[in-house]
Amino acid sequence: MSVSLQPSMFLTKDTRLTLHDGNAIPVMGLGTYASAEVPKSDGTEATKLAIDLGYRHIDCAYIYGNEVQIGEAIRSKIADGTVKREEIFYTGKLWCSFFSPNLVRQGLEASLKALQLDYLDLFIMHWPFSVKPSDAHSNQPLDFDDVDFCLTWEALEGCKDAGLVKSIGVSNFNRRQLERLLSKPGLKYKPVCNQVEYHVYLNQSKLHEYCKCHNIVLVAYSVLGTARDNTWVDPNSPVLLEDPVLRSVAAKYNRSPAEVAMRFILQKGAVVLAKSFNPTRLKQNLGVFEFELKPEDMEMLDGLNRNLRYAQFTVMKQHPEYPFHDEY
């Protein structure tokens, strides 16, 4: 089941949004980022269970350091007949140390090798800024680089032409950066998506409107306000799922605050990445397809916006391409 970019209230776990290149992205994805103390094997088991439950969109990234385990889970569910490869939509991300045009394919092939897959369904630039080539999984500080992401994009277009990726997009780009990419001389493929932080405290209304005008799908991460990893989230920031308005709306529908927070984004016409390795919550999260928020409740949740960003990546704040100095 594939729908247009316009929000549809008749959503199911099988609903996909049609991307402007003709491919289709499932509206609900499994986010697989986990902090260092979480055993890598947890990602394997959670991904297997998610596929058993009906999740078909798996979102991962080279920098997460768990593509081997996520790939193992996907391949095991293909091997046992649960799914075919073409039914799985896998999103990978080009890490910032591979932005030099001569390194882009190397970055992609590192992910393909770890996953042991022949192609990715979607490959996106993880951030709009570049860092010097280094061991991305070491604890060494990031060293700024000045690669023009428009040149990186040209190499991504080459990866699509080579059949190694089906679709290409971006993540964490602001409007100005999207505009620069879209107006690039010789642009062959427009980005199909922009993956950004998006939740009731950061409703991304202006960015979302801009993306809609250019037929770019917004993909939402940190939809529940993050796992509050103290290495990158301010411990004093408010806990989104404890918001009294969100909780009152959830009580009205006899749903969890998490389900309502995700349903809000789905009804806005964005794709939701639900990050959980907990079997109970993986099942519960699919409850978003069992109810519909009324317009007045959507408006009430919209009113919770405070332009609060949990994932600020402040270590890169001085980089010229740091995206969050702009309003949107």
Side-chain angles (χ1 to χ4, degrees):
M1 178 185 179
S2 183
V3 298
S4 71
L5 193 57
Q6 294 305 311
S8 169
M9 298 306 103
F10 302 104
L11 299 167
T12 75
K13 63 181 172 58
D14 300 316
T15 303
R16 295 180 177 229
L17 290 181
T18 301
L19 302 169
H20 67 69
D21 65 358
N23 295 320
I25 185 170
V27 294
M28 174 73 98
L30 174 72
T32 60
Y33 168 79
S35 54
E37 63 268 18
V38 176
K40 302 292 186 194
S41 58
D42 285 11
T44 310
E45 295 311 308
T47 304
K48 286 180 183 177
L49 175 59
I51 292 171
D52 284 337
L53 290 170
Y55 289 80
R56 294 295 179 262
H57 177 181
I58 312 296
D59 180 272
C60 195
Y62 173 83
I63 198 64
Y64 297 173
N66 61 356
E67 286 185 307
V68 168
Q69 291 77 19
I70 304 305
E72 179 190 334
I74 292 170
R75 287 182 287 104
S76 75
K77 299 319 293 182
I78 293 170
D80 72 11
T82 303
V83 288
K84 296 173 182 174
R85 172 63 185 94
E86 58 269 24
E87 294 171 333
I88 292 290
F89 189 99
Y90 180 89
T91 298
K93 305 182 187 78
L94 180 72
W95 182 241
C96 312
S97 59
F98 293 108
F99 272 29
S100 291
N102 62 316
L103 296 179
V104 169
R105 184 148 172 171
Q106 179 183 321
L108 169 59
E109 288 176 347
S111 289
L112 289 171
K113 182 179 178 183
L115 294 158
Q116 293 184 45
L117 296 177
D118 295 328
Y119 66 90
L120 304 186
D121 298 274
L122 175 61
F123 195 43
I124 62 181
M125 280 194 260
H126 206 142
W127 290 89
F129 46 69
S130 59
V131 299
K132 293 274 176 64
S134 64
D135 179 1
H137 296 123
S138 74
N139 292 319
Q140 296 300 311
L142 298 173
D143 191 7
F144 292 6
D145 206 354
D146 59 357
V147 179
D148 182 349
F149 60 68
C150 287
L151 297 177
T152 309
W153 186 257
E154 289 176 9
L156 280 174
E157 291 176 325
C159 293
K160 177 174 166 67
D161 284 336
L164 297 175
V165 298
K166 301 283 188 186
S167 298
I168 52 177
V170 297
S171 181
N172 299 302
F173 273 50
N174 62 33
R175 181 203 56 78
R176 181 173 48 83
Q177 290 162 333
L178 284 171
E179 213 158 66
R180 181 146 67 88
L181 185 55
L182 291 170
S183 61
K184 184 186 85 67
L187 182 72
K188 189 170 185 180
Y189 303 117
K190 288 196 317 181
V192 298
C193 73
N194 188 16
Q195 186 181 127
V196 296
E197 181 176 346
Y198 189 172
H199 43 72
V200 293
Y201 284 168
L202 182 67
N203 70 11
Q204 296 284 15
S205 57
K206 291 182 178 179
L207 183 63
H208 199 172
E209 198 54 45
Y210 177 84
C211 287
K212 282 180 186 175
C213 288
H214 293 277
N215 208 9
I216 295 170
V217 170
L218 222 58
V219 179
Y221 70 76
S222 294
V223 293
L224 306 180
T226 80
R228 306 189 70 77
D229 185 326
N230 61 15
T231 60
W232 54 276
V233 176
D234 180 356
N236 297 314
S237 58
V239 180
L240 187 144
L241 292 180
E242 292 178 2
D243 184 273
V245 174
L246 177 63
R247 294 179 76 86
S248 70
V249 174
K252 175 180 173 180
Y253 290 87
N254 197 25
R255 295 287 167 175
S256 68
E259 286 172 280
V260 169
M262 290 187 287
R263 180 72 200 193
F264 168 76
I265 294 170
L266 287 170
Q267 286 186 211
K268 286 284 191 175
V271 171
V272 164
L273 298 178
K275 192 272 152 192
S276 180
F277 288 173
N278 179 294
T280 302
R281 286 199 289 271
L282 278 171
K283 293 173 189 172
Q284 186 185 58
N285 286 345
L286 292 176
V288 297
F289 300 112
E290 297 169 358
F291 70 104
E292 178 185 332
L293 293 168
K294 293 179 179 176
E296 60 267 29
D297 294 315
M298 288 291 290
E299 191 176 336
M300 192 183 302
L301 293 170
D302 236 348
L304 294 178
N305 181 56
R306 33 173 114 176
N307 293 319
L308 175 78
R309 200 177 291 280
Y310 289 101
Q312 296 190 42
F313 208 0
T314 52
V315 69
M316 298 302 288
K317 212 165 188 176
Q318 302 309 314
H319 195 291
E321 292 292 358
Y322 182 76
F324 304 142
H325 293 311
D326 292 28
E327 182 194 355
Y328 69 97

